[in-house]
Amino acid sequence: MAAMRRIALVLAALVLFAAPARADGDVLVHRVTPAADAAIPFWCDWSYDWEARCYRDVDDRLPVGGEDDKVWRSALRFPLSGIPVGAAVVSAALELSFDGVCLGPRKTVRRCPARAYTIDIHPVIGADWHREREVELGPLVTSGALWARSPQRLSWDVTDLVIAWVEQGVPNDGLLLKLADGEEDFGVSGPKFPSAEFPDAALRPTLEVRYFLPGGDAAG
């Protein structure tokens, strides 16, 4: 628990004191799809049949929102091993596609109502997403509005969090998407984003990290 509190304090400090823009040497790009992603049920009635009703879902969509008897949040973990040791992060953006599909009753697919959703991004604390029924979250990193009327590519600035992972040694346990507090509830629906398994590769989630190597060494 002490280690988790230290991680939360580091992340909170990074959110409050954003790193200044840096430019030194050639800027390189690390753009990847998730190494793992999953839909995770929250607020579920963990009764005798929870294994049947409160399952983790790994398929070609990542639901974010509420259905009849649970709230869905989705986790994504992106590999960062391709970024050389000593790199300085310039910017980082999480990108997801919205193609007009939302949660329906009992997690069926349906077209979204013409309304706005606010999607919050939190770091996951703990590398094993299956250890607990509901994963532990760190402090809010960023949020953004989705007007669920037309297909679009969405982007969230996660620079401070990726700096913590790459430069500060904070464990990269993944990102979690949820509806904002006050919007999240049973039956409110919510978007079902294409996942890393989605047939159309152009719609899959990506993390784009722009970085440089101090001294101008562009190798790596």
Side-chain angles (χ1 to χ4, degrees):
M1 291 300 294
M4 291 182 181
R5 283 194 295 271
R6 285 196 297 272
I7 292 170
L9 288 172
V10 169
L11 294 174
L14 284 168
V15 171
L16 290 173
F17 303 103
R22 293 170 287 183
D24 181 15
D26 296 327
V27 174
L28 307 175
V29 177
H30 177 78
R31 185 178 178 87
V32 289
T33 55
D37 57 19
I40 302 174
F42 281 70
W43 302 5
C44 196
D45 180 9
W46 302 104
S47 57
Y48 69 94
D49 62 345
W50 72 267
E51 288 184 339
R53 296 177 52 255
C54 305
Y55 53 87
R56 304 289 174 91
D57 197 5
V58 180
D59 62 13
D60 66 356
R61 289 196 177 270
L62 298 170
V64 179
E67 60 168 334
D68 298 341
D69 56 1
K70 64 180 71 66
V71 164
W72 288 98
R73 301 173 182 176
S74 288
L76 308 94
R77 182 161 47 225
F78 294 88
L80 298 176
S81 58
I83 300 177
V85 175
V89 173
V90 176
S91 64
L94 169 68
E95 296 184 359
L96 288 94
S97 294
F98 172 70
D99 60 355
V101 176
C102 272
L103 283 164
R106 299 193 178 277
K107 203 169 169 292
T108 57
V109 175
R110 68 180 178 91
R111 305 304 294 177
C112 284
R115 57 155 292 179
Y117 296 101
T118 304
I119 310 296
D120 286 352
I121 309 293
H122 292 258
V124 177
I125 297 177
D128 185 356
W129 296 349
H130 299 276
R131 182 175 180 180
E132 302 291 339
R133 290 173 176 172
E134 297 181 355
V135 298
E136 184 175 356
L137 309 184
L140 176 69
V141 173
T142 187
S143 63
L146 162 63
W147 178 245
R149 174 169 286 183
S150 59
Q152 57 198 278
R153 188 74 172 172
L154 302 166
S155 179
W156 292 264
D157 184 347
V158 292
T159 302
D160 295 329
L161 179 58
V162 174
I163 288 174
W165 288 340
V166 173
E167 301 181 33
Q168 306 296 327
V170 173
N172 171 18
D173 296 330
L175 294 162
L176 187 127
L177 284 66
K178 64 181 288 294
L179 289 188
D181 295 343
E183 292 185 22
E184 193 175 51
D185 204 350
F186 299 114
V188 298
S189 188
K192 295 187 70 176
F193 298 109
S195 77
E197 305 299 322
F198 199 71
D200 185 348
L203 299 183
R204 294 171 185 170
T206 61
L207 179 70
E208 180 176 289
V209 182
R210 300 175 66 83
Y211 67 93
F212 66 89
L213 298 177
D217 183 2

